[in-house]
């Protein structure tokens, strides 16, 4: 019998939900130590992710920055003979297309001991970057070349020689000195680009859509194109800007027109392509570009190039005035040209004073 003085012990039962007859479970807070461990794991994971992204960005920057070749142009020029800057806010860049046949460019012919500036353009960026002027210099133009310093010593000045010979004699520095003597314009920067790099950039962009002005059949430049709008890949684009025997009278003037047509199309395409939405493509393009160019020291780093590119934001193809230096047949050589005065001098004076080019206002 049960002692009535003792409390009655109820049978042990599990609490059940009367509607489901399932055992109730009550959420218990995780022990403080376990919560801390989870927080630490989250922080470590986040830190590692950020570190990997930062490391990738740092690697990309170092790789792109290491691609750039640069030369101390100012150190090779005679500071006392250089023109003064008349418009400090404007910037003048000499753009050179190298026709070297060495290295990866050997497929375009035999290297005969040195490169020449197959393409030469003076790019004038107006103060405030409101507009730009691009003056193409025919490679066949006869000029007086100044003395140029080289690794082997000073090459004496020469009279009535082809413009593009300056590059083969003394590289970028000699080309800058020659342009400054010819124009009276202070050149702030110089950029050289080679064949192979040019092709790769165009292919990375997905080609460039160009309105080819006429049928072109030029085996020398491997160019076989039909008249009209078409998207050119890197090889076709290079052929277009190099051809001279397949258009016009076979002179350099016909080639310059094709180069300017292509440059307008290229500027328009880059401006309409949102590369920021495709970081892989943007990196590939920057890798192609930095591997293809040689610059002066002022543009010899990725940060300098980036800053320079940002200053051009908003400048589109309609604000760029493409011209060719006015030239006339050379008196003693019908296969060469000389600057046509006073027209050529008027072009240079407009750039020096940061004014629109004569013969039409810039947009």
């Amino acid at each position: 019998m049960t002692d009535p003085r003792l409390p009655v012990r109820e049978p042990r039962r599990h609490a059940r939900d009367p509607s489901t007859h399932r055992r109730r479970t009550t959420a218990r807070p995780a022990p403080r130590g376990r919560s801390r461990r989870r927080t630490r794991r989250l922080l470590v994971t986040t830190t590692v992710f950020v570190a990997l992204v930062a490391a990738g960005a740092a690697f990309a920057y170092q790789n792109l920055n290491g691609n750039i070749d640069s030369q101390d142009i100012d150190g090779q020029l005679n500071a006392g003979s250089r023109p003064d800057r008349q418009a400090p806010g404007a910037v003048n860049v000499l753009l050179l297309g190298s026709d070297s046949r060495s290295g990866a460019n050997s497929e375009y012919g035999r290297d005969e001991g040195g490169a020449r500036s197959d393409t030469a353009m003076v790019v004038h960026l107006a103060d405030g970057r409101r507009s730009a002027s691009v003056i193409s210099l025919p490679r066949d133009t006869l000029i007086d070349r100044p003395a140029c310093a080289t690794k082997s010593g000073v090459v004496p000045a020469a009279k009535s020689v082809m413009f593009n010979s300056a590059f083969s004699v003394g590289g970028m520095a000699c080309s800058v000195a020659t342009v400054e003597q010819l124009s009276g314009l202070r050149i702030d920067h110089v950029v050289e680009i080679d064949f192979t790099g040019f092709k790769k950039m165009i292919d990375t962009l997905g080609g460039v859509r160009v309105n080819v002005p006429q049928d072109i059949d030029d085996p020398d430049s491997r160019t076989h194109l039909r008249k009209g709008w078409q998207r050119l890949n890197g090889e076709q684009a290079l052929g277009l800007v190099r051809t001279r025997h397949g258009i016009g009278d076979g002179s350099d003037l016909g080639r310059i027109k094709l180069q300017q047509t292509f440059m307008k199309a290229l500027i328009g395409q880059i401006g309409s392509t949102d590369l920021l939405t495709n970081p892989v493509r943007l990196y590939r393009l920057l890798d192609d570009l930095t591997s293809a160019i040689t610059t002066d020291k002022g543009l010899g780093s990725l940060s300098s190039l980036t800053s320079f590119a940002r200053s051009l934001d908003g400048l589109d193809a309609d604000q760029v005035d493409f011209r060719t230096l006015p030239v006339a047949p050379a008196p003693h050589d019908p296969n060469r040209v000389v600057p046509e005065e006073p027209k050529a001098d008027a072009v240079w004076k407009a750039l020096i004073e940061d004014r629109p080019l004569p013969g039409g206002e810039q947009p």
Side-chain angles (χ1 to χ4, degrees):
M1 293 181 64
T2 306
D3 189 341
R5 292 174 297 180
L6 297 176
V8 179
R9 181 177 296 175
E10 294 293 331
R12 194 173 193 179
R13 294 177 183 158
H14 293 293
R16 294 180 181 271
D17 189 318
S19 61
T20 62
H21 299 289
R22 292 179 180 175
R23 182 178 295 178
R24 290 177 180 170
T25 57
T26 303
R28 296 180 179 179
R32 182 175 300 177
R34 187 184 304 172
S35 176
R36 288 177 177 174
R37 285 196 296 273
R38 288 178 180 173
T39 302
R40 283 198 297 269
R41 283 198 297 268
L42 179 61
L43 288 173
V44 169
T45 301
T46 303
T47 302
V48 169
F49 175 76
V50 172
L52 288 173
V53 172
F59 171 79
Y61 180 90
Q62 292 298 330
N63 185 58
L64 296 175
N65 197 60
N67 285 344
I68 304 171
D69 287 331
S70 63
Q71 297 180 11
D72 182 11
I73 301 301
D74 290 339
Q76 299 178 55
L77 298 174
N78 183 352
S81 63
R82 302 193 68 185
D84 294 329
R85 290 185 179 87
Q86 300 296 322
V91 175
N92 301 304
V93 182
L94 178 60
L95 179 63
L96 300 171
S98 168
D99 68 350
S100 169
R101 304 305 199 274
S102 61
N105 295 331
S106 60
E107 62 179 292
Y108 299 103
R110 184 181 58 173
D111 192 336
E112 298 180 351
R116 295 194 179 205
S117 50
D118 207 38
T119 300
M121 297 179 175
V122 174
V123 181
H124 173 80
L125 303 169
D127 186 10
R129 307 302 177 265
R130 63 186 184 277
S131 63
S133 303
V134 179
I135 309 300
S136 295
L137 302 173
R139 58 176 288 178
D140 298 334
T141 306
L142 297 180
I143 51 87
D144 292 340
R145 177 181 51 76
C148 293
T150 69
K151 294 179 180 179
S152 303
V154 177
V155 178
K159 289 187 174 295
S160 194
V161 296
M162 285 177 57
F163 168 78
N164 70 333
S165 66
F167 188 81
S168 62
V169 166
M172 295 195 305
C174 191
S175 295
V176 169
T178 300
V179 170
E180 290 187 340
Q181 178 173 284
L182 174 68
S183 65
L185 182 71
R186 177 68 171 248
I187 299 298
D188 301 294
H189 298 294
V190 57
V191 177
E192 175 200 343
I193 184 168
D194 72 3
F195 289 168
T196 303
F198 177 85
K199 286 196 310 180
K200 290 176 66 177
M201 284 193 301
I202 300 306
D203 285 334
T204 299
L205 276 172
V208 176
R209 193 166 181 267
V210 180
N211 187 9
V212 180
Q214 68 178 66
D215 290 347
I216 301 175
D217 186 14
D218 182 10
D220 289 345
S221 64
R222 306 180 187 181
T223 309
H224 308 281
L225 299 171
R226 296 300 177 192
K227 178 181 178 180
W229 284 99
Q230 52 196 295
R231 185 172 293 276
L232 306 184
N233 60 29
E235 188 72 38
Q236 292 170 320
L238 179 60
L240 181 71
V241 300
R242 290 184 61 231
T243 189
R244 60 185 295 176
H245 302 297
I247 188 169
D249 60 2
S251 73
D252 199 40
L253 299 179
R255 172 165 56 184
I256 284 175
K257 290 181 180 179
L258 291 177
Q259 291 172 349
Q260 293 176 347
T261 296
F262 181 81
M263 288 291 289
K264 289 178 184 178
L266 177 61
I267 293 171
Q269 179 147 333
I270 292 176
S272 64
T273 302
D274 190 2
L275 293 169
L276 295 180
T277 62
N278 190 336
V280 174
R281 192 178 184 188
L282 175 60
Y283 176 81
R284 285 180 56 202
L285 182 63
L286 291 174
D287 191 34
D288 293 340
L289 174 63
T290 53
S291 299
I293 62 175
T294 303
T295 72
D296 63 284
K297 285 293 185 182
L299 291 179
S301 67
L302 187 60
S303 59
S304 298
L305 284 173
T306 301
S307 177
F308 180 72
R310 285 175 179 167
S311 74
L312 305 180
D313 186 33
L315 186 66
D316 57 40
D318 292 336
Q319 296 168 301
V320 183
D321 190 359
F322 284 88
R323 303 286 186 91
T324 301
L325 182 70
V327 292
H332 306 296
D333 189 345
N335 296 318
R336 301 289 181 261
V337 295
V338 293
E340 183 182 5
E341 301 299 354
K343 294 181 180 179
D345 184 63
V347 167
W348 296 129
K349 187 175 181 181
L351 298 189
I352 291 169
E353 298 176 355
D354 196 23
R355 293 186 289 103
L357 295 173
E361 294 293 319
Q362 298 185 46

